[in-house]
Amino acid sequence: MAGLRPASLPSPASLPDVNLRVGYVIKDWFFNTDNVRKHVRDSERTVLNRYGATVRKVARHSMKYRAPERKGKKGYASAPGTPPHAHARGRGDTGGLKYGPFNILYGYDPVRRSVVIGPRKKPNTGNIPSALEYGASLGNVRNTRRRKRRVGGRGIVKAEKGNRSLSGRGKRRVTGRDGETYTVTYATLKTQDMLERSNDLETMIWGPETLSSVAIAPRPYMRPAAAVVDQMLPRFWAEAQANSTYFTGLE
């Protein structure tokens, strides 16, 4: 399983639907809890536990690591149709992509008598797992190219379209939302008028602070993993029935 990579995963087309719901089921119905041991026979618990662990492992290995955005250096998104990048550096790391490989959980669903697998929902992040898996159109999204400026801080005081000379202090070349190159000059914003002028220039170059609509292309990672592991289910059942005490934990 460790050798699986995005190139070996199924195409996003015609993937099986998966349940990305992770909540009370995960908290109260892990497969090593007394709740599951009391309600599920050993062979069924073994297969469901092994299935959930294997899907999680395939999903984890499908994500490539990329550096998160920090100190002005931006990470970059994965290609549409491929698994999202993972930015977490290790177990328990909450930085970067919050739904990285160490935040995928699984547990028993007593209502459906099945296993639920998916990313752990975190507060104030919206429905990001579903948006990544299926794609979405999000409204009122913060424009990441914009910065909150204030009087006394630095901001753009002059902008010219094209590759102009960079001689002089505070000059840089930036790419606007229209794909054009701008030569801008940064300086200290000493007055409210300078602050308003700087915000107007940034709006011209990068757009408003809040974008009315942003389209997110699908970057599935749970459905491709489930499609791979579905092919292993007959073997899981055969091994579980041959030895009811068989268990393999995958981390």
Side-chain angles (χ1 to χ4, degrees):
M1 299 300 300
L4 284 172
R5 289 294 183 269
S8 63
L9 295 176
S11 150
S14 303
L15 287 172
D17 194 11
V18 295
N19 187 353
L20 292 179
R21 174 172 54 89
V22 179
Y24 77 94
V25 172
I26 294 300
K27 181 179 179 180
D28 299 329
W29 293 85
F30 282 121
F31 281 95
N32 60 352
T33 62
D34 291 337
N35 281 340
V36 177
R37 290 192 178 98
K38 291 177 181 178
H39 292 85
V40 184
R41 67 179 186 271
D42 288 345
S43 60
E44 182 180 354
R45 181 170 61 89
T46 296
V47 171
L48 294 178
N49 185 34
R50 191 180 181 192
Y51 180 89
T54 309
V55 169
R56 179 175 68 176
K57 184 173 185 179
V58 174
R60 283 176 172 176
H61 282 278
S62 73
M63 297 183 196
K64 294 181 178 180
Y65 283 93
R66 290 293 183 268
E69 179 181 350
R70 61 180 58 170
K71 295 182 179 179
K73 184 178 181 180
K74 294 186 177 180
Y76 50 97
S78 63
T82 65
H85 288 156
H87 301 311
R89 291 303 182 189
R91 190 179 299 274
D93 187 346
T94 58
L97 181 62
K98 293 180 173 59
Y99 298 96
F102 298 107
N103 285 321
I104 299 174
L105 306 176
Y106 68 96
Y108 183 69
D109 184 342
V111 176
R112 301 185 181 185
R113 295 180 61 85
S114 64
V115 58
V116 179
I117 315 159
R120 179 175 56 188
K121 181 174 175 59
K122 294 191 175 183
N124 304 319
T125 55
N127 200 12
I128 293 178
S130 179
L132 288 173
E133 186 72 34
Y134 299 103
S137 179
L138 305 180
N140 298 322
V141 177
R142 184 179 69 85
N143 187 343
T144 58
R145 299 297 304 274
R146 297 292 302 273
R147 297 293 182 268
K148 190 69 175 178
R149 306 297 180 185
R150 60 180 178 82
V151 175
R154 289 177 62 81
I156 297 175
V157 296
K158 183 178 180 181
E160 298 175 281
K161 184 174 287 189
N163 292 320
R164 305 301 178 91
S165 172
L166 293 180
S167 61
R169 299 182 60 182
K171 289 194 174 183
R172 291 175 52 191
R173 291 194 182 103
V174 299
T175 302
R177 60 174 173 173
D178 55 2
E180 297 289 339
T181 298
Y182 291 82
T183 303
V184 299
T185 303
Y186 284 87
T188 301
L189 306 175
K190 298 180 180 180
T191 66
Q192 183 66 29
D193 287 342
M194 291 182 69
L195 173 62
E196 293 176 1
R197 168 66 176 166
S198 181
N199 284 330
D200 289 342
L201 289 173
E202 290 200 5
T203 299
M204 176 190 73
I205 298 171
W206 292 308
E209 292 183 1
T210 301
L211 303 176
S212 59
S213 179
V214 174
I216 298 178
R219 289 169 171 83
Y221 55 108
M222 297 306 302
R223 287 179 294 157
V228 168
V229 183
D230 282 348
Q231 302 175 25
M232 305 177 187
L233 265 178
R235 175 164 60 87
F236 289 175
W237 279 112
E239 291 174 347
Q241 291 170 356
N243 183 1
S244 62
T245 61
Y246 176 84
F247 174 76
T248 298
L250 297 173
E251 295 297 335

